[in-house]
Amino acid sequence: MTGKHQAGFVNIFGAPNAGKSTLLNLLLGEQLVITSHKVQTTRHRILGIMTEPGYQIVFSDTPGVIDIKYKLHEKMMQQVKSALEDADIALLVHDISRPIEELIGVCNTLKLTVPVLLLLNKIDKVEDQSTLETTITDYKKLFPNWEVIPISAKKGTNTELVIPAVLKLLPEAPAYYPDDNISDRSERFFVGELIREQIYVLYEEEIPYHAAVLVHSFETKPHITVIKADIIVSRESQKVILLGKAGSMIKQLGINARQNIEKFLDSKVHLELFVKVRPKWRDNDTFLKEYGYSS
Ligand SMILES: Nc1nc2c(ncn2[C@@H]2O[C@H](COP(=O)(O)OP(=O)(O)OP(=O)(O)O)[C@@H](O)[C@H]2O)c(=O)[nH]1
Ligand SMILES: [Mg+2]
């Protein structure tokens, strides 16, 4: 290959629900990571790799920056910390409809030392154009050293500006990953995530925050993939809610998740779900490790 080649780690940070995972999917042009209208959807650092002629951008989606209340949160923030350590560029995503103080809080926690692109997301939520423009100016004044791009990750507004802005800052380096790699995570991992996503979609209140998914069997047969997974919750009462009347809710969850897994794997899927109660799993190192939350 001739000419310069650029490559680097472009790590996405921000408050919970800012739209980090939505943005990553949009940039990759693929539903790779799960998203939801509830906070704290992403629990792991997940790579999304974009390889094009002349450059490779290794994006990292990360959990939203939160205060630690459980060991699970501690593990989530360790994932953010690891992304802080190897970032070449930070994509800082902020929901423009949220107070500016939220972003300041995130910045105080992260203490970013690498070049930052500040993406003011969800501009579609601000109806009044002049209010939007004044708000953007306020952010630019507060962060004069950062490039500020107002976007809507949901509608795709201005998102075509993100990659050129990244390329202005991306170091010259050879590719880190083979060009057919899209992520560092296994199919099994993403299958677990697609099941977890439906828990965020279907259940209210605290259920998603008490739930973990463990894919314990993943068998590729000639015309079908057979998947067995446990959904772990903290309390018997949560198991009852998860199952629903005569098992109606878990049945729906299974149907929804299977459809998404079939699309993802491009294969017919047989999915079996089992609900298990593990009291205080979010504070238990052994369980956290078993469910994939080790650091
Ligand atoms: N209106 C609007 N909604 C958006 C936009 N971007 C994301 N959302 C919505 O915001 C919610 C949160 O999006 P996510 O991508 O899951 O947010 P996140 O930052 O990854 O959240 P965590 O993983 O919990 O930290 C979802 O309901 C998205 O559809 C946007 O530009 N406009
Ligand atoms: Mg996310």
Side-chain angles (χ1 to χ4, degrees):
M1 203 190 287
T2 54
K4 74 168 186 178
H5 187 276
Q6 292 171 279
F9 287 80
V10 178
N11 301 347
I12 307 174
F13 301 101
N17 214 42
K20 301 177 292 300
S21 302
T22 304
L23 174 73
L24 178 61
N25 287 338
L26 183 113
L27 293 174
L28 294 175
E30 186 150 351
Q31 294 299 312
L32 181 70
V33 289
I34 63 166
T35 65
S36 91
H37 65 288
K38 295 195 172 78
V39 297
Q40 293 178 33
T41 305
T42 307
R43 290 184 183 160
H44 299 84
R45 175 180 185 178
I46 305 165
L47 301 193
I49 305 163
M50 177 188 276
T51 307
E52 294 291 338
Y55 67 87
Q56 180 175 73
I57 303 176
V58 185
F59 290 105
S60 287
D61 191 13
T62 69
V65 174
I66 46 167
D67 294 332
I68 293 169
K69 293 201 187 104
Y70 301 97
K71 271 192 186 160
L72 171 65
H73 293 157
E74 199 176 299
K75 305 284 177 201
M76 286 160 67
M77 285 305 99
Q78 278 164 3
Q79 302 277 312
V80 176
K81 193 162 166 253
S82 105
L84 276 174
E85 282 162 7
D86 66 23
D88 291 302
I89 300 165
L91 283 192
L92 188 54
V93 182
H94 174 66
D95 177 343
I96 197 164
S97 69
R98 303 273 309 160
I100 205 162
E101 289 75 22
E102 182 182 85
L103 178 62
I104 296 170
V106 167
C107 292
N108 289 341
T109 306
L110 293 174
K111 299 184 181 67
L112 292 162
T113 54
V114 292
V116 177
L117 290 179
L118 175 57
L119 305 179
L120 299 174
N121 191 29
K122 308 198 187 183
I123 55 168
D124 58 289
K125 284 173 89 175
V126 187
E127 274 169 23
D128 184 60
Q129 275 309 303
S130 69
T131 312
L132 180 64
E133 271 157 36
T134 340
T135 314
I136 294 167
T137 312
D138 289 345
Y139 280 94
K140 284 184 174 165
K141 271 191 207 144
L142 196 62
F143 301 102
N145 299 326
W146 296 348
E147 182 158 354
V148 180
I149 310 176
I151 63 164
S152 167
K154 193 171 179 176
K155 307 249 167 184
T157 318
N158 285 350
T159 46
E160 73 283 358
L161 304 175
V162 177
I163 300 296
V166 166
L167 290 177
K168 271 200 248 161
L169 302 166
L170 201 67
E172 261 188 58
Y176 289 93
Y177 292 88
D179 60 9
D180 57 352
N181 284 26
I182 173 122
S183 183
D184 60 330
R185 299 278 177 172
S186 62
E187 282 187 335
R188 189 190 269 249
F189 170 83
F190 286 112
V191 164
E193 289 288 272
L194 289 171
I195 297 167
R196 209 164 58 77
E197 185 175 45
Q198 289 307 314
I199 304 176
Y200 280 76
V201 170
L202 291 175
Y203 299 90
E204 295 303 320
E205 311 288 334
E206 89 282 8
I207 299 289
Y209 305 106
H210 283 269
V213 172
L214 180 65
V215 177
H216 55 79
S217 162
F218 187 106
E219 243 183 301
T220 314
K221 296 190 172 174
H223 299 292
I224 197 162
T225 309
V226 180
I227 297 165
K228 294 180 187 168
D230 291 340
I231 298 176
I232 293 100
V233 286
S234 309
R235 286 196 277 274
E236 208 55 50
S237 59
Q238 293 162 348
K239 177 174 174 175
V240 172
I241 296 171
L242 211 76
L243 293 173
K245 216 173 174 188
S248 57
M249 287 296 280
I250 189 90
K251 190 171 168 209
Q252 191 61 53
L253 193 151
I255 292 169
N256 293 5
R258 178 172 49 77
Q259 284 171 348
N260 290 345
I261 297 167
E262 286 185 337
K263 260 186 252 156
F264 176 72
L265 296 176
D266 200 12
S267 150
K268 214 166 140 29
V269 165
H270 175 81
L271 177 64
E272 282 180 42
L273 297 173
F274 308 87
V275 183
K276 298 202 169 147
V277 180
R278 295 284 179 267
K280 297 197 167 52
W281 69 265
R282 297 183 301 177
D283 262 325
N284 180 309
D285 276 322
T286 313
F287 287 145
L288 284 167
K289 198 164 174 214
E290 187 183 349
Y291 308 149
Y293 301 108
S294 52
S295 41

